[in-house]
Amino acid sequence: MAFEGKRVLCFESRRAEETAELIRRNGGDPIVAPAMREVPLERNEEALRFGEGLLRGDFDMILFLTGVGTRQLMKVLATRFEVQSIVDALRRITIVARGPKPTAALREMQVQPHMIASEPNTWREIVTVLDGRPERRIAIQEYGRPSIELMDALRARGAEVTQVPVYTYEMPEDVEPLRRAVEQLAQQDGGVQVTMFTTGQQAVHLMQIAQEMGCEDRVLHGLRRSMIASIGPTTTSALADFGLAPDMEPSRPKLGFLVKEAAEQSAEILCKKTT
C-alpha cells in the first residue's frame, strides 16, 4: 500500500532529491525541508592533537563512527602528517567501525577494521562488540554531537576516552524551507500527514526554528498528529528528548526501507491516530 497522496515531510540535505523521488514513487506528496549541513571544523586542533598522539602510540583502540567523518579526519591529518605514517599507526592498534560506511572508508586506506558493529549500529551495538576487550586507551571519531551514552559506557568499563570531533552540524544556509515546514506542522488542519527523520539533529534544528518562530507547542502537536517515521534507534532516542515517540522504524535502518515501509504502514497508523 502506498502513501496515496499524503503529504510527507522530510528533512534530508545531501539526499534531498533522492528522498523526494522515493516518496513520489511510493505515492506521496513530498515536502523537502533540508534541516542541516555538515561543516568541517576549520581549525581542528583536537583532530591534530589526536594525530600526534596516534603517532606516539597513545591509543590502544579507535572507534570510527561515520564514513564521512573517517574521510574528513584523514584530510585534516594529511595537512600536517605524512599519510602513510598515519595509516601505519592505525594498523598497529585495534580498529572498530560502526557499520558499513566507516568500514568502506577505512578499506579505501587499506586499513582493515578488527570489529564492525552490527545493525542498527547504535552505541549499544558498539559496546556489545567490545565485550571482553582489554583495550583501555580509546579514541572516538565523533560525527556532529558527542555520543554521551557510548563514552559513559566505555568509562564505566575503565576506559580512558579521547573525543576526536571532525565535523559539526549547522543550520542549512537557506532556512526558508525549514521555516515553511514549521508553518505547515503548526497548521490546525493538519498540513502534514507523515514526518520522516533520518537523524536526530534534524529534530534539534526543527525545534530550534519553531522556538524562534514562537510556535514550538503547535509544532509538537502537529508532529504527534502526523505519523512520525524514524530511521532507527539512535534517531528515536533523540526524538524522545522532545517528548516525541515515533510510530514506526523500518526493518533496516536504510532510507529506501524507511520510505517504503512508512508508505505501507501509513494508512493503518493514521487511522488509529484519528479514532
Side-chain angles (χ1 to χ4, degrees):
M1 185 178 294
F3 284 120
E4 298 178 328
K6 295 178 180 66
R7 291 183 293 278
V8 182
L9 173 59
C10 64
F11 302 101
E12 267 296 307
S13 300
R14 280 186 298 165
R15 304 178 68 182
E17 292 184 7
E18 178 186 353
T19 306
E21 181 58 28
L22 284 170
I23 291 169
R24 290 190 194 97
R25 288 180 188 174
N26 283 274
D29 178 12
I31 305 169
V32 181
M36 61 188 213
R37 58 190 172 111
E38 294 167 359
V39 182
L41 299 177
E42 294 180 359
R43 301 185 63 182
N44 198 335
E45 294 300 324
E46 292 95 338
L48 294 172
R49 283 197 294 272
F50 159 76
E52 293 170 354
L54 177 64
L55 293 175
R56 284 196 305 266
D58 290 352
F59 303 106
D60 305 317
M61 174 185 287
I62 302 176
L63 311 182
F64 289 95
L65 301 185
T66 66
V68 173
T70 300
R71 295 182 181 94
Q72 184 63 29
L73 176 59
M74 290 305 296
K75 289 180 181 177
V76 172
L77 296 178
T79 65
R80 182 174 297 182
F81 310 107
E82 182 184 4
V83 172
Q84 190 58 50
S85 65
I86 294 295
V87 171
D88 290 342
L90 289 173
R91 290 171 176 164
R92 289 194 291 269
I93 63 177
T94 303
I95 303 295
V96 182
R98 187 187 74 116
K101 292 182 179 179
T103 298
L106 288 164
R107 286 172 177 166
E108 290 169 8
M109 302 182 292
Q110 284 74 54
V111 174
Q112 180 66 37
H114 297 83
M115 289 165 282
I116 302 172
S118 60
E119 290 185 354
N121 313 127
T122 71
W123 66 271
R124 293 180 179 85
E125 283 71 44
I126 296 174
V127 171
T128 297
V129 84
L130 297 182
D131 278 345
R133 297 296 308 185
E135 295 88 350
R136 289 296 177 265
R137 300 177 300 167
I138 301 174
I140 302 177
Q141 170 257 311
E142 294 182 345
Y143 62 107
R145 67 171 186 165
S147 179
I148 303 300
E149 299 92 344
L150 175 58
M151 290 189 292
D152 287 347
L154 293 176
R155 286 170 178 149
R157 297 181 174 201
E160 176 186 336
V161 180
T162 299
Q163 299 168 250
V164 188
V166 180
Y167 58 87
T168 188
Y169 293 130
E170 293 186 3
M171 284 287 185
E173 292 181 353
D174 180 9
V175 298
E176 286 309 308
L178 196 53
R179 287 179 176 274
R180 289 194 294 271
V182 166
E183 291 172 351
Q184 288 175 291
L185 283 167
Q187 289 177 14
Q188 291 185 358
D189 62 352
V192 175
Q193 282 83 50
V194 179
T195 311
M196 289 187 174
F197 292 94
T198 53
T199 175
Q201 193 66 27
Q202 294 168 348
V204 173
H205 286 171
L206 173 70
M207 297 313 300
Q208 182 178 328
I209 293 293
Q211 187 175 40
E212 291 173 2
M213 295 174 66
C215 56
E216 188 174 7
D217 288 342
R218 282 184 288 144
V219 166
L220 286 171
H221 179 69
L223 286 168
R224 294 186 181 108
R225 184 175 50 207
S226 75
M227 184 187 94
I228 302 176
S230 164
I231 200 164
T234 300
T235 299
T236 295
S237 177
L239 290 169
D241 292 341
F242 298 98
L244 297 170
D247 298 290
M248 64 84 64
E249 292 179 4
S251 57
R252 296 188 64 190
K254 307 291 183 184
L255 181 60
F257 283 83
L258 175 67
V259 176
K260 181 177 182 296
E261 293 176 19
E264 293 170 346
Q265 298 177 38
S266 60
E268 180 180 357
I269 289 173
L270 287 169
C271 180
K272 290 179 180 178
K273 286 199 162 201
T274 56
T275 56

